[in-house]
Amino acid sequence: MNSIKIVDYRPGHQYYFELFNRKWIEEFYELEEIDKYVLQNPEEAIISKGGAILMALYDDEVAGTVALRKIDDATFEFTKMAVDAKFRRRGIGEALCYASFCKAAEMGATKIILYSNTRQASAVRLYERIGFKHLPVTNDVYKRANVKMYINLDEELIKNSEVKILQPTN
């Protein structure tokens, strides 16, 4: 039976975090300096600043990732979501979304924002389907972003998510 597990990031996951994100970014865009920094230093860039990174395991194999970058006490940026090509179309992206909502709420967030690009049409459709709403693009973070979205984390959204974030076992 195929199963998706979402776990908290550990230092050994850095390789996958960088690999998965580098592949999709370089396929469509130029890797920006901010990307290089975050991908090579996720603990410093994301976790030490109050954010989090989640990893998706599919049948116990690392399959995807997403980060939550803390903007302020109530807002996190949903960023660096990537699913390895061999695991796409198995619900991993959606599972990472819902798990990130739970994680952000656990850390005190009431809102999540994200930046994307219309070239990532399937990702934008996923975000719309799960409740993200469009905002005017005001962006000084990523040159490639021409889409900005947000979602408010209310009780109903969290309650409807069945995704559990598992604590890693040694």
Side-chain angles (χ1 to χ4, degrees):
M1 178 179 175
N2 297 331
S3 66
I4 300 168
K5 295 177 192 167
I6 307 298
V7 299
D8 286 313
Y9 173 92
R10 294 189 317 237
H13 290 135
Q14 186 276 332
Y15 169 81
Y16 299 100
F17 181 75
E18 182 173 359
L19 176 70
F20 298 162
N21 277 289
R22 256 186 195 277
K23 280 185 180 179
W24 81 261
I25 293 170
E26 290 176 340
E27 181 179 343
F28 295 98
Y29 313 101
E30 182 179 323
L31 202 64
E32 298 177 35
E33 287 305 312
I34 187 69
D35 297 316
K36 293 174 188 174
Y37 168 67
V38 171
L39 297 178
Q40 293 171 359
N41 306 285
E43 292 171 62
E44 179 183 323
I46 302 289
I47 296 170
S48 72
K49 293 184 165 104
I53 300 172
L54 300 174
M55 303 301 294
L57 307 178
Y58 189 83
D59 288 342
D60 295 322
E61 189 174 344
V62 180
T65 186
V66 69
L68 291 164
R69 183 176 71 91
K70 187 174 185 174
I71 305 295
D72 59 42
D73 287 343
T75 310
F76 283 77
E77 178 191 356
F78 178 94
T79 186
K80 302 295 183 262
M81 183 170 87
V83 175
D84 188 54
K86 72 180 185 178
F87 293 105
R88 292 191 185 139
R89 304 218 182 285
R90 298 181 190 191
I92 295 167
E94 188 168 345
L96 281 165
C97 288
Y98 284 114
S100 75
F101 298 165
C102 294
K103 186 69 164 182
E106 188 180 287
M107 296 187 309
T110 58
K111 181 178 175 180
I112 293 177
I113 63 167
L114 67 78
Y115 296 97
S116 191
N117 187 290
T118 51
R119 291 176 71 184
Q120 307 310 126
S122 61
V124 172
R125 281 192 305 274
L126 168 65
Y127 303 145
E128 290 169 339
R129 189 176 78 241
I130 62 176
F132 278 93
K133 307 288 184 222
H134 288 270
L135 288 169
V137 180
T138 54
N139 173 33
D140 59 356
V141 180
Y142 310 102
K143 293 176 195 170
R144 64 182 169 265
N146 67 3
V147 171
K148 182 177 181 182
M149 303 175 87
Y150 78 97
I151 193 164
N152 289 320
L153 301 176
D154 59 20
E155 286 296 318
E156 195 62 32
L157 182 64
I158 300 302
K159 188 170 62 180
N160 287 334
S161 174
E162 296 178 15
V163 176
K164 301 279 188 265
I165 299 169
L166 304 174
Q167 296 307 313
T169 55
N170 298 341

